[in-house]
Amino acid sequence: MTLKLVIFDCDGVLVDSEALANRELQKALAEEGLVMSMEEVVEAFVGRSMKAVVDISGQRLGRALPDDFLDRLQVKTFTKFKSSLKPVAGIAEVLTGLQDMPYQTCVASSGSPDKMDLTLGLTGLKAFFEGRIYHAGQVARGKPYPDLFLYAADQMGVDPAECLVVEDSLPGVQAAVAAGMEVLAYATRGQDRKLATAGGMVIKEMHEVIKYLQEPCV
């Protein structure tokens, strides 16, 4: 079936926010008594909603995190974004190139609307997706379940089989595969094998998105 829609994850795919956010999360969890290495933080939380982060952390701690944990974490994370956030290398060129190609585009992310409004605004990418930004709060289950990608496709009026997802996390790749969509797995953290095993077609550079769409059988 011909591809019609390219669905982008946000963190780690559009904006280079993962390392910044993960450091703040690591520090915030340590303050609550949950000490994790950065590798453990990435393995446990990247690609998941903040609700899932809170639930998993509570299970590991053996108690619930404070009610204001996410609010305090957001303040610190947003402050770091405002000083240091950049777009993912090459993504602006990809999005510009897609404007001259016969594909619709949208965002489907585990991030909150406030977070995406800030990060996409700071990096100048928001204009590429006005009115086509979907988040985990709009569905019953976040990634690795397919709900968010299926919701995005439905909102865009496209069959799931006509969608290509660009993801960088294992839960995201699993969600796209479960949704019956093709998925390019942008591998930047040494997860090549895991992403490929989950069903992702591994890419190392963003320009490969355009190459894939120009030569979808390659």
Side-chain angles (χ1 to χ4, degrees):
M1 191 173 289
T2 303
L3 293 175
K4 295 182 179 179
L5 173 64
V6 183
I7 304 176
F8 290 90
D9 177 42
C10 187
D11 295 297
V13 170
L14 298 176
V15 297
D16 198 7
S17 56
E18 296 284 21
L20 300 175
N22 289 337
R23 283 192 210 101
E24 294 303 321
L25 176 59
Q26 181 189 36
K27 290 188 288 186
L29 290 174
E31 291 173 358
E32 296 297 331
L34 181 57
V35 178
M36 301 174 68
S37 68
M38 184 54 65
E39 290 75 16
E40 290 171 328
V41 169
V42 169
E43 181 74 21
F45 303 127
V46 167
R48 299 183 185 274
S49 68
M50 291 312 296
K51 179 183 182 301
V53 171
V54 169
D55 290 343
I56 293 169
S57 300
Q59 292 168 7
R60 294 191 176 205
L61 269 173
R63 62 171 175 80
L65 291 170
D67 292 341
D68 66 344
F69 177 82
L70 289 182
D71 291 335
R72 289 186 284 113
L73 175 60
Q74 179 172 284
V75 169
K76 294 177 181 178
T77 303
F78 282 14
T79 298
K80 181 61 69 172
F81 286 164
K82 290 173 183 176
S83 67
S84 306
L85 186 65
K86 296 179 180 179
V88 165
I91 192 62
E93 291 79 6
V94 169
L95 297 177
T96 299
L98 281 169
Q99 292 182 319
D100 296 322
M101 299 178 76
Y103 302 102
Q104 299 183 69
T105 59
C106 70
V107 177
S109 172
S110 298
S112 69
D114 287 347
K115 181 180 179 183
M116 285 190 282
D117 188 62
L118 176 68
T119 60
L120 293 175
L122 287 171
T123 54
L125 301 179
K126 187 177 179 182
F128 287 104
F129 301 105
E130 288 287 1
R132 306 187 312 281
I133 299 174
Y134 308 107
H135 60 89
Q138 294 173 298
V139 295
R141 304 175 300 178
K143 303 170 187 178
Y145 295 99
D147 304 30
L148 180 55
F149 289 135
L150 293 174
Y151 177 79
D154 179 68
Q155 292 298 300
M156 297 294 293
V158 176
D159 188 281
E162 299 172 320
C163 299
L164 173 69
V165 174
V166 184
E167 263 286 356
D168 71 316
S169 73
L170 181 59
V173 170
Q174 292 169 330
V177 170
M181 300 176 178
E182 295 182 33
V183 54
L184 294 179
Y186 181 53
T188 60
R189 298 185 299 272
Q191 290 185 296
D192 307 39
R193 183 173 297 178
K194 287 183 179 180
L195 296 176
T197 300
M201 295 171 281
V202 174
I203 61 173
K204 294 289 191 176
E205 304 287 342
M206 270 300 162
H207 69 81
E208 294 178 68
V209 174
I210 296 293
K211 181 180 179 182
Y212 180 79
L213 291 169
Q214 290 173 331
E215 305 175 48
C217 294
V218 174

